């Protein structure tokens, strides 16, 4: 079974999320502050976390998704997750997502983790990626700041683009193009 390649930054290790992470994944997604802008309800059971880990592994094997656990490089503590939620191979597009434990917010860790993912997708991934997209629910200012720091441009608001938690949501579409990223280096 193929696993995501390990990525490292100065403070983080990005590697496979495994069943041993079930309690940490549950803690992450059971927190209303984390799921406030997320397309799923807060987890109520460990089984929900276990199923998410298993489903992500299957989607990875099918090359539909490429997700990493974000861990502290020195303690190996689980801090969150990030990666490609889905690929659009015909258009050479990867759609990313990310989430961190609230105690890890405001430290630049999401930016650091996503920088490693972006670099991997644009320079090392086995299939061509020309565009990385991120959809951000209106009001998620922290997420918008992370993307802007990384050079993403807001292309506009997709009105009532998604439906979850019994309501429609406006989403901002952010994108980063490969040539823009390479010019930043």
């Amino acid at each position: 079974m193929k696993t995501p390649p390990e990525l490292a930054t100065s403070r983080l290790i990005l590697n496979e999320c495994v069943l041993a992470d079930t309690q940490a994944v549950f803690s992450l997604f059971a927190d209303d502050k984390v799921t406030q802008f997320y397309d799923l309800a807060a987890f109520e059971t460990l089984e929900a976390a276990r199923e998410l880990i298993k489903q992500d592994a299957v989607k990875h094997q099918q090359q539909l998704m490429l997700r990493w656990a974000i861990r502290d490089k020195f303690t190996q503590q689980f801090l969150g997750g990030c990666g490609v939620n889905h690929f659009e191979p015909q258009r050479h597009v990867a759609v990313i997502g990310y989430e961190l434990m609230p105690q890890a917010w405001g430290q630049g860790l999401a930016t650091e983790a996503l920088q490693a993912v972006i670099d991997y997708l644009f320079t090392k991934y086995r299939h061509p990626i020309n565009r990385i997209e991120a959809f951000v629910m209106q009001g998620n200012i922290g997420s918008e700041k992370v993307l802007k720091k990384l050079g993403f441009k807001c292309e506009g608001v997709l009105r009532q683009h998604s439906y979850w938690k019994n309501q429609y949501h406006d989403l901002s579409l952010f994108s980063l193009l490969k040539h823009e990223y390479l010019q930043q280096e």
Side-chain angles (χ1 to χ4, degrees):
M1 190 179 232
K2 195 167 170 83
T3 61
E6 187 170 288
L7 306 177
T9 71
S10 61
R11 298 182 291 170
L12 303 171
I13 293 289
L14 280 61
N15 60 16
E16 182 181 22
C17 188
V18 295
L19 287 175
D21 296 315
T22 298
Q23 181 62 55
V25 170
F26 173 75
S27 295
L28 176 69
F29 286 110
D31 192 317
D32 289 329
K33 291 187 296 277
V34 173
T35 60
Q36 176 183 0
F37 298 110
Y38 221 84
D39 62 349
L40 53 85
F43 286 178
E44 296 181 7
T45 66
L46 278 174
E47 186 56 32
R50 195 174 296 111
E51 275 306 304
L52 179 67
I53 294 167
K54 288 178 185 178
Q55 288 173 7
D56 285 357
V58 168
K59 289 177 184 176
H60 174 72
Q61 292 307 311
Q62 297 170 338
Q63 298 183 21
L64 300 174
M65 171 183 273
L66 180 58
R67 299 274 300 172
W68 288 269
I70 303 171
R71 302 180 198 281
D72 182 283
K73 189 174 193 172
F74 306 101
T75 67
Q76 300 302 307
Q77 178 186 3
F78 180 91
L79 300 172
C82 68
V84 179
N85 292 342
H86 73 271
F87 289 100
E88 297 180 20
Q90 296 79 11
R91 296 190 317 120
H92 301 173
V93 171
V95 179
I96 62 168
Y98 44 93
E99 55 280 336
L100 282 178
M101 299 279 199
Q103 63 268 25
W105 293 359
Q107 301 171 43
L109 298 174
T111 304
E112 189 172 324
L114 286 174
Q115 183 65 58
V117 170
I118 292 165
D119 185 68
Y120 175 77
L121 290 171
F122 281 148
T123 66
K124 298 174 187 81
Y125 188 61
R126 67 182 175 272
H127 300 295
I129 298 294
N130 183 59
R131 177 181 167 92
I132 300 174
E133 295 178 346
F135 294 86
V136 179
M137 193 171 131
Q138 294 290 283
N140 191 347
I141 305 302
S143 189
E144 290 185 6
K145 286 180 181 178
V146 167
L147 293 168
K148 288 175 182 176
K149 264 192 261 182
L150 291 164
F152 280 73
K153 308 264 188 293
C154 183
E155 296 185 351
V157 176
L158 304 171
R159 299 177 312 134
Q160 296 187 0
H161 182 267
S162 294
Y163 184 82
W164 66 76
K165 298 178 185 171
N166 297 315
Q167 64 185 46
Y168 292 100
H169 298 279
D170 295 344
L171 303 179
S172 294
L173 171 59
F174 285 81
S175 69
L176 179 63
L177 303 178
K178 184 175 185 174
H179 79 269
E180 294 169 337
Y181 172 75
L182 296 175
Q183 288 174 349
Q184 291 174 9
E185 292 186 317

